[in-house]
């Protein structure tokens, strides 16, 4: 088991826990209305910022910027995701300029996924290249978050190679990191210890995925490499189509995980809201943050 009293854990525990939220661009008017309702309800959480996802190969670039403007209008500080796969340097430069013009001071810099049918990786291959490019283009204008994978990126050659990629992103100029979601606190603290040993002292915030739908969670987890522990899978399967029981059990699981993370020094929590308020609000209220 990881030693949760590592230097990074201790340093992160000195500051109060920061809450942040992730939204994704809506695809139609009904989804837009749902996003606005959700965002208004989640103001109660008092997030330090919210992030907005960016589709494969930048496929939701305009949607991301429109969603950023909507959330800014509701009083949020917003950090759009920016991915480099499939993008040219000129298009990335244009996007950065548009974000600066919109008063955006935070970004989540990612390699991103190739959209189906696209064969050109673009001019930047790794997220570390993107972070370096942002710094070259914009200096210290943006606070940059990058991704971390406590259970290893599904395409990584191995844990050590994955850690090397993460350290490269931090050394390229990132200010902090948000993890892929997980359900095993030991995985997070083990990753934290290994990153600390490589000289990473910046905040690494756990990503939190509320459990509300068994089949959806299983599908997402298969894609991103997040392990659902056997006991959780079996309990979820036992509820069948009983949505109320799934949500109640899921909330209990996530509250316990979040409390363990915070008690052991995590600097905050980043909630993947799925553009729905209830699960995030339920966890937040029970944590009494």
């Amino acid at each position: 088991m990881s030693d949760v009293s590592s230097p990074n854990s201790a340093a992160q525990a000195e500051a109060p826990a920061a809450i942040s939220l992730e939204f994704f661009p809506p695809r139609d008017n009904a989804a837009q209305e749902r996003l606005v309702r959700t965002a208004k309800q989640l103001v109660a959480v008092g997030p330090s910022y919210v992030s907005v996802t960016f589709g494969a190969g930048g496929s939701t670039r305009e949607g991301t910027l429109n969603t950023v403007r909507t959330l800014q209008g509701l009083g949020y500080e917003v950090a759009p995701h920016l991915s480099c796969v499939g993008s040219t340097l000129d298009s990335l430069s244009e996007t950065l300029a548009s974000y600066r013009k919109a008063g955006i001071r935070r970004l989540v810099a990612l390699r991103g996924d190739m959209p189906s049918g696209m064969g050109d990786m673009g001019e930047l291959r790794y997220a570390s290249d993107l972070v370096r490019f942002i710094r070259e283009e914009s200096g210290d204008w943006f606070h940059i978050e990058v991704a971390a994978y406590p259970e290893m990126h599904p395409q990584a050659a191995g844990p050590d190679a994955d850690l090397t990629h993460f350290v490269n992103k931090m050394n390229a100029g990132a200010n902090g990191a948000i993890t892929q979601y997980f359900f095993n606190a030991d995985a997070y603290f083990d990753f934290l210890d290994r990153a600390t040993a490589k000289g990473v002292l910046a905040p690494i915030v756990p990503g939190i995925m509320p459990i509300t739908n068994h089949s959806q969670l299983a599908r997402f987890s298969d894609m991103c490499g997040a392990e659902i522990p056997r006991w959780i899978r079996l309990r979820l399967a036992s509820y069948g189509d009983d949505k109320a029981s799934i949500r109640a059990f899921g909330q209990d699981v996530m509250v316990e995980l979040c409390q363990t993370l915070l008690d052991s020094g995590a600097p905050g929590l980043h909630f993947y809201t799925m553009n729905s308020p209830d699960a995030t609000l339920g966890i937040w209220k029970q944590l009494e943050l």
Side-chain angles (χ1 to χ4, degrees), residues 76-273:
Y76 285 112
E77 179 177 359
V78 189
H81 289 202
L82 181 63
S83 63
C84 61
V85 165
S87 298
T88 65
L89 296 182
D90 285 345
S91 68
L92 290 169
S93 184
E94 289 173 7
T95 299
L96 291 173
S98 68
Y99 287 165
R100 289 189 64 163
K101 185 176 180 180
I104 293 164
R105 299 303 301 262
R106 279 183 177 265
L107 291 174
V108 179
L110 307 165
R111 186 198 70 170
D113 299 316
M114 286 290 290
S116 178
M118 181 179 286
D120 185 0
M121 288 288 290
E123 295 182 67
L124 300 178
R125 188 173 181 84
Y126 298 111
S128 55
D129 299 327
L130 177 59
V131 173
R132 197 172 294 108
F133 177 76
I134 294 169
R135 289 294 178 227
E136 291 169 354
E137 286 278 301
S138 307
D140 292 331
W141 177 268
F142 294 109
H143 179 107
I144 303 174
E145 304 284 350
V146 294
Y149 296 86
E151 296 175 314
M152 196 180 82
H153 190 285
Q155 296 174 356
D160 290 342
D162 191 47
L163 181 63
T164 296
H165 283 301
F166 174 71
V167 172
N168 288 344
K169 290 187 284 190
M170 302 307 297
N171 289 342
N175 300 101
I178 303 164
T179 77
Q180 178 59 269
Y181 70 86
F182 56 88
F183 300 106
N184 184 340
D186 284 345
Y188 169 76
F189 287 111
D190 175 70
F191 182 85
L192 196 66
D193 287 346
R194 292 167 62 230
T196 300
K198 294 289 187 180
V200 176
L201 297 179
I204 302 174
V205 177
I208 303 300
M209 176 64 82
I211 299 174
T212 60
N213 182 302
H214 182 200
S215 59
Q216 182 186 63
L217 182 67
R219 186 171 67 253
F220 286 173
S221 300
D222 286 343
M223 289 190 298
C224 70
E227 180 185 11
I228 305 175
R230 185 171 184 268
W231 70 274
I232 294 179
R233 286 190 285 109
L234 291 174
R235 288 286 299 278
L236 289 173
S238 73
Y239 295 125
D241 295 326
D242 185 348
K243 294 180 180 179
S245 293
I246 289 173
R247 288 175 180 270
F249 169 71
Q251 180 166 314
D252 288 344
V253 169
M254 297 315 296
V255 167
E256 182 175 356
L257 174 62
C258 290
Q259 195 65 64
T260 297
L261 292 167
L262 294 175
D263 288 348
S264 300
L269 303 169
H270 183 79
F271 287 91
Y272 298 106
T273 70

Side-chain angles (χ1 to χ4, degrees), residues 10-62:
Q12 294 185 149
E14 293 175 0
I19 304 300
S20 53
L21 309 170
E22 179 181 287
F23 297 104
F24 59 84
R27 294 183 179 274
D28 53 40
N29 289 337
Q32 172 70 16
E33 293 173 2
R34 186 164 60 250
L35 169 68
V36 171
R37 288 196 302 271
T38 293
K40 287 180 176 179
Q41 288 180 261
L42 288 175
V43 167
V45 173
S48 55
Y49 73 94
V50 300
S51 69
V52 179
T53 63
F54 195 70
S59 58
T60 62
R61 173 179 168 180
E62 289 304 314

